[in-house]
Amino acid sequence: TPVTGEQRQQPNILITGTPGTGKTTLSELAALALSFNHVNVSELVKERELHDGYDAEFDTYILNDDKLCDELEESLGTVAGGNVVDFHSCELFPERWFDLVVVLRTDNTVLYDRLAERGYSQRKITENIECEIMQVVSEEAHDSYKPEVVVELQSDSVEQMEANTEQISAWVAQWHAKRSA
Ligand code: ADP
Ligand code: MN
């Protein structure tokens, strides 16, 4: 039977949010602070070719959910746990993989500047700004995971990024404290 949260030695954390909200930056910081493994799903999809080709119109890889989940099961399905997973979507993953789902939120104007700096096309910027305004990822997270698992964190400033790293570390400490109680 598949491993669930009760059996894990360390929790698995998903950091999700609209592109540009700071998932990779926060995931790296949190993984470093916790000595967890950072799994950058977008990079993994490219490296291991967990896709069915490239969609030029939408400037994105066509995700192969089955291939991706099979690959991730190797690390997320273990008793060891201790992964920080970084991806802009969250509904394709089995619920049992994650003990905490962090949804990063960013102010529209701040996000616009970050995406422009990244060299995104106007179309892609607009698409992502709309995604953030419509709270697409937030709704997806609340539809896919139990309310007590989902936490929304603001990610407009470096100060917030540092506070978010600390909050995640504190959450992990709490997770361990609850089990030994
Ligand atoms: P994502 O992985 O969600 O697409 P990144 O982590 O790559 O986002 O961050 C996008 C850009 O915004 C990077 O240049 C990063 O340094 C910056 N950034 C991320 N989070 C913050 C934050 N909380 N405050 C200020 N800048 C941030
Ligand atoms: Mn990223």
Side-chain angles (χ1 to χ4, degrees), residues 15-29 38 40 42 86-88 104-106 110-111 113-115 117-118 120 154-162 164:
I15 299 190
T16 191
T18 306
T21 51
K23 298 180 296 295
T24 300
T25 310
L26 179 64
S27 297
E28 279 171 357
L29 286 172
H38 174 203
N40 185 328
S42 302
D86 155 9
F87 198 47
H88 57 259
L104 291 183
R105 302 302 310 271
T106 301
V110 174
L111 186 61
D113 293 344
R114 283 187 202 163
L115 296 173
E117 198 166 313
R118 231 179 213 188
Y120 274 19
Q154 200 63 29
S155 179
D156 298 339
S157 66
V158 172
E159 290 73 24
Q160 285 171 339
M161 188 200 296
E162 284 163 0
N164 293 343

